[in-house]
Amino acid sequence: MEPIIRAKNIKKYFKVPSGNLLAVDDISFDIFEGETLGLVGESGCGKSTAGRTVIRLYEPTGGELFFKDKDVFKMNKRELHDVRKDFQMIFQDPYASLNPRMTVLDIVAEPLDVHGIPANSKERYERVIQLLDRVGLSEEHAMRFPHEFSGGQRQRVGIARSLATEPKFIVCDEPISALDVSIQAQVVNLLQDLQDEMGLTYLFIAHDLSMVRYISDRVAVMYLGKFMELAESEELYNNPMHPYTKALLSAIPVPDPAIQRARKRIMLEGDVPSPINVKPGCRFVERCSYAKDICRSESPEFKEYSTGHFVACHLTEEIN
Ligand code: SF4
């Protein structure tokens, strides 16, 4: 299968008074058509910035992003406008991402209007009703305002809006983190159904590994702007190789009490360090219990250790 997205050496730095903030620092990955790639890490690791840079909501500092063999990072304004039909985003906070002064009809129709898709207001209305129906809402919701909806319903409105232009690729930026636990599964199921029906490809960003396990075909683990590990979902959960992934996974309770008792809990002390003026060497060194001298001086290569299983750690063979 050919990848629909090929990201090569993507960088996004921000200038700050004390230097450079390395939010995303040289990450590469492919996403195949109809696939979900999960992107996981603690807050401040750069995952949301990576998602926004990939669809050029942020201007990249460097790298290449191929969508159907065209480099999106090199596109001019006109080409970018056209490709935006195929790229959409679902935001984390359904409360903040919908304009409170617009009706649901206008919110969902906005991307259609931007691309001049509906020929007239009747077609525009009918298209919005179809989209609302697709996400489990109905015509009676069309003339209401966002404050009249629950969190789960607002996220459905956000999803309907993201589907309006029939995109190919959607960045889902923590789309369920702000929702009640009881609603989260419904939204995940809806995203999966839509993927099956429409052949969508997702980059699914989350801070919690347990959340992405079931929705993702493959999962990438990010720390301080870099990928630490990437593998097929089940492989990553059953055979984590990077110390950071091991620590994240050890914090997730397992239903089987025997396995839970046998498992060693690895404590992750402190928060993700500042991404400003990052020192050479492994990004995880300050929190890694395996660290050696080489980890402080040389940045580990992101290497494939078994088919499709990539790890960035000097000691992968030693500790696995
Ligand atoms: Fe730990 Fe060193 Fe591996 Fe980094 S390279 S994760 S510091 S062992």
Side-chain angles (χ1 to χ4, degrees), residues 28-258:
S28 299
F29 56 92
D30 291 337
I31 312 182
F32 297 92
E33 195 158 5
E35 184 188 38
T36 298
L37 177 69
L39 180 53
V40 176
E42 291 163 281
S43 50
C45 73
K47 58 192 189 299
S48 288
T49 304
R52 279 157 207 244
T53 307
V54 162
I55 54 172
R56 231 177 120 177
L57 281 184
Y58 288 160
E59 275 306 308
T61 306
E64 297 169 306
L65 192 282
F66 292 97
F67 171 65
K68 295 182 176 168
D69 292 330
K70 280 203 125 186
D71 187 353
V72 175
F73 289 178
K74 291 209 173 78
M75 285 181 178
N76 60 30
K77 260 189 166 173
R78 173 85 241 157
E79 291 170 315
L80 197 56
H81 174 82
D82 289 347
V83 87
R84 288 244 154 89
K85 259 197 274 190
D86 288 320
F87 283 7
Q88 288 295 332
M89 183 142 186
I90 299 169
F91 294 91
Q92 175 181 5
D93 186 351
Y95 295 88
S97 59
L98 306 178
N99 186 332
R101 285 179 294 277
M102 285 167 77
T103 61
V104 163
L105 174 73
D106 287 336
I107 289 171
V108 176
E110 200 178 31
L112 296 170
D113 299 338
V114 167
H115 291 281
I117 293 173
N120 51 49
S121 57
K122 182 171 174 283
E123 196 182 304
R124 181 180 187 263
Y125 183 79
E126 283 170 359
R127 180 94 185 100
V128 170
I129 303 306
Q130 274 171 12
L131 288 160
L132 292 179
D133 182 57
R134 209 160 201 171
V135 299
L137 297 171
S138 63
E139 188 169 3
E140 59 156 312
H141 296 114
M143 299 314 292
R144 297 202 202 158
F145 291 88
H147 73 267
E148 298 175 63
F149 293 92
S150 66
Q153 285 174 318
R154 283 184 214 209
Q155 196 52 296
R156 285 174 193 267
V157 173
I159 294 170
R161 179 188 155 92
S162 76
L163 298 176
T165 56
E166 300 189 354
K168 304 276 182 296
F169 174 56
I170 303 184
V171 174
C172 308
D173 187 9
E174 303 217 36
I176 55 174
S177 324
L179 303 177
D180 286 351
V181 175
S182 58
I183 307 296
Q184 290 182 348
Q186 293 175 16
V187 173
V188 166
N189 289 341
L190 172 64
L191 288 170
Q192 283 184 311
D193 291 346
L194 292 167
Q195 181 171 44
D196 293 344
E197 280 167 36
M198 301 171 72
L200 296 167
T201 302
Y202 293 143
L203 178 63
F204 194 97
I205 298 169
H207 62 267
D208 179 345
L209 268 165
S210 58
M211 230 178 233
V212 293
R213 177 170 189 170
Y214 298 104
I215 195 167
S216 306
D217 298 290
R218 291 180 301 141
V219 176
V221 178
M222 197 167 174
Y223 187 83
L224 212 59
K226 283 199 178 287
F227 278 3
M228 300 287 112
E229 187 160 7
L230 189 158
E232 284 192 5
S233 186
E234 284 311 298
E235 164 71 6
L236 190 95
Y237 285 85
N238 294 327
N239 184 26
M241 295 174 100
H242 193 282
Y244 181 52
T245 317
K246 288 177 194 277
L248 288 179
L249 278 172
S250 80
I252 301 174
V254 177
D256 185 329

